[in-house]
Amino acid sequence: MQSVFLLFLCIMKKILVVYYTQTGQLKSAIDATLKPFENNNDYQITYQEIKTKTPYPYPWSYMEFFDIFPETVQGVPCELEPFSFNPNEHYDLVVIGYQPWFLSICVPINSFLQTKEAEQVLKNKNVATLIACRNMWLGGQEKMKAHLKRLQANLVGNITFVDKSANLVSLVTVLAFVLKGVKEKFLGIFPKYGVSNKDLHDAPKFGEVIKQHLATNDFTNQQIELHKLGAINIRGNLLLMEGRGRALFPHYAKFITKKGPQGSKERKSRVRTFGIVLPTGILLLSPIITILSRLAPLLMKSKFKKEVDYYSQNSLR
Ligand SMILES: Cc1cc2nc3c(=O)[nH]c(=O)nc-3n(C[C@H](O)[C@H](O)[C@H](O)COP(=O)(O)O)c2cc1C
């Protein structure tokens, strides 16, 4: 009897899901993706929600929202609540669910990645990332790849959920969502912010792929299969726009932190200016970049394709 139990334990696959969510969108995407594992004794899933010692506000005030920008971009960690998972346990797969903030990894998950426990639990482990955001995740995922490389983890999958509205529309709705807490149609005319119900409904197809690869512990082609099913959302105009933002953000973050630490009144005017410049910049650049992005695949076909291919896979250049 005991040997049967031990055999069962050996066959049973263990998954650790580490995630952060403010309003629950990310958790809905995780639940939808992992549906094929529900009520299945062959899998043991441990959930670790990351909680910050001082919770971030929701909705955010204008100043709080833009004041977190420099520390997010610079990867400054914050204090976290203790974890309940055992970092010394073996997991067949670790799923990290996160949102990008300001084209970088959100502070809570970035803080987790800098802990001793992350170092212990991620070393030599297979990791899949799951992102639910507005539409700009490339920069955050590049930083994630760098962290995972440092932690000697093996990134074997990336699944992205985005708001599929036009960029300027989701710019308005995300600001209403984070700054005003608007979770339904903003002003009755804009669509509801976030990942669509249809995308959540279809998400178990990604879980099925993960399940098949977990069964053999061979994740070689997992990302290719996930990609074929639509796990990677990249739009040309956003690729170009993110590129501009990622080049400029570290400079502006430095410019703000020169005045003082997070929350200090000395940096308030620079934070306020950033809060005006960023949405205005997106608003003005959006049409130009959309035109450029339509031309880019024609004028620089192979370079453009190379970029899209690069962001669709999991290694770091
Ligand atoms: C401070 C902050 C910055 C954000 N920056 C980005 C971003 O750069 N790219 C993006 O696609 N979404 C961005 N978002 C939207 C989030 O990715 C996410 O959609 C939203 O926070 C809701 O997620 P949750 O319900 O899981 O908390 C940002 C949100 C916040 C709060």
Side-chain angles (χ1 to χ4, degrees):
M1 186 65 192
Q2 198 184 3
S3 57
V4 173
F5 179 66
L6 284 175
L7 182 68
F8 171 71
L9 277 186
C10 289
I11 298 169
M12 190 174 68
K13 300 283 183 183
K14 290 185 179 178
I15 305 172
L16 172 68
V17 181
V18 180
Y19 70 97
Y20 172 78
T21 191
Q22 254 206 319
T23 70
Q25 172 168 266
L26 195 274
K27 183 62 170 36
S28 309
I30 289 175
D31 290 345
T33 304
L34 298 184
K35 224 174 183 144
F37 295 90
E38 246 176 34
N39 305 321
N40 191 330
N41 291 333
D42 295 343
Y43 304 93
Q44 186 190 77
I45 304 189
T46 305
Y47 288 92
Q48 177 62 63
E49 180 173 6
I50 300 300
K51 292 198 168 170
T52 55
K53 272 251 154 75
T54 310
Y56 289 103
Y58 184 79
W60 297 67
S61 74
Y62 176 87
M63 283 307 284
E64 283 164 334
F65 182 77
F66 289 106
D67 193 54
I68 193 68
F69 159 76
E71 283 67 27
T72 307
V73 171
Q74 292 173 344
V76 178
C78 69
E79 269 197 90
L80 300 177
E81 291 289 350
F83 310 127
S84 54
F85 76 96
N86 175 4
N88 296 312
E89 189 156 339
H90 173 76
Y91 294 100
D92 298 285
L93 181 71
V94 181
V95 176
I96 302 179
Y98 75 99
Q99 314 75 355
W101 284 0
F102 299 113
L103 315 182
S104 300
I105 304 169
C106 64
V107 178
I109 290 292
N110 199 38
S111 306
F112 164 72
L113 292 166
Q114 295 177 57
T115 62
K116 190 91 203 130
E117 288 87 344
E119 216 171 274
Q120 285 168 286
V121 80
L122 294 175
K123 190 170 179 180
N124 299 325
K125 296 285 175 15
N126 291 317
V127 174
T129 46
L130 193 151
I131 300 168
C133 64
R134 180 171 85 92
N135 57 21
M136 293 197 179
W137 56 268
L138 306 177
Q141 188 64 359
E142 287 303 283
K143 290 187 175 183
M144 178 60 76
K145 286 179 188 173
H147 271 298
L148 294 177
K149 193 171 176 194
R150 170 182 61 80
L151 294 162
Q152 298 173 49
N154 186 21
L155 181 59
V156 296
N158 180 33
I159 302 168
T160 65
F161 293 89
V162 299
D163 184 316
K164 289 183 175 157
S165 313
N167 188 38
L168 290 183
V169 171
S170 68
L171 175 68
V172 172
T173 56
V174 76
L175 289 176
F177 182 79
V178 294
L179 300 179
K180 297 244 169 251
V182 175
K183 291 188 176 171
E184 295 308 321
K185 285 185 158 198
F186 180 48
L187 300 176
I189 47 167
F190 287 95
K192 186 171 174 276
Y193 169 70
V195 177
S196 71
N197 288 339
K198 179 177 183 313
D199 285 349
L200 293 179
H201 176 267
D202 295 345
K205 66 186 175 187
F206 303 131
E208 288 293 352
V209 171
I210 294 174
K211 206 171 168 183
Q212 282 160 22
H213 287 272
L214 254 180
T216 54
N217 236 352
D218 178 1
F219 293 93
T220 321
N221 289 321
Q222 179 171 266
Q223 187 60 34
I224 295 169
E225 289 169 33
L226 290 171
H227 185 24
K228 271 188 195 150
L229 290 176
I232 296 298
N233 289 283
I234 301 177
R235 277 191 253 161
N237 57 336
L238 303 179
L239 194 150
L240 293 181
M241 196 172 270
E242 259 215 69
R244 290 296 84 221
R246 277 158 60 194
L248 293 173
F249 277 12
H251 299 292
Y252 206 85
K254 200 168 162 193
F255 177 67
I256 293 176
T257 48
K258 264 187 190 158
K259 276 284 175 185
Q262 196 179 338
S264 68
K265 66 175 190 316
E266 289 78 13
R267 74 187 212 178
K268 269 192 175 150
S269 69
R270 287 186 180 186
V271 169
R272 198 172 292 120
T273 310
F274 177 68
I276 297 165
V277 168
L278 180 66
T280 313
I282 297 176
L283 211 68
L284 296 179
L285 281 180
S286 226
I288 303 165
I289 287 198
T290 301
I291 295 168
L292 284 179
S293 71
R294 297 268 150 82
L295 295 175
L298 304 173
L299 301 178
M300 305 175 287
K301 200 172 173 183
S302 72
K303 188 170 185 279
F304 197 75
K305 184 179 175 311
K306 240 190 204 163
E307 283 299 283
V308 173
D309 288 348
Y310 170 72
Y311 289 113
S312 305
Q313 56 80 56
N314 293 319
S315 65
L316 184 66
R317 64 180 152 204

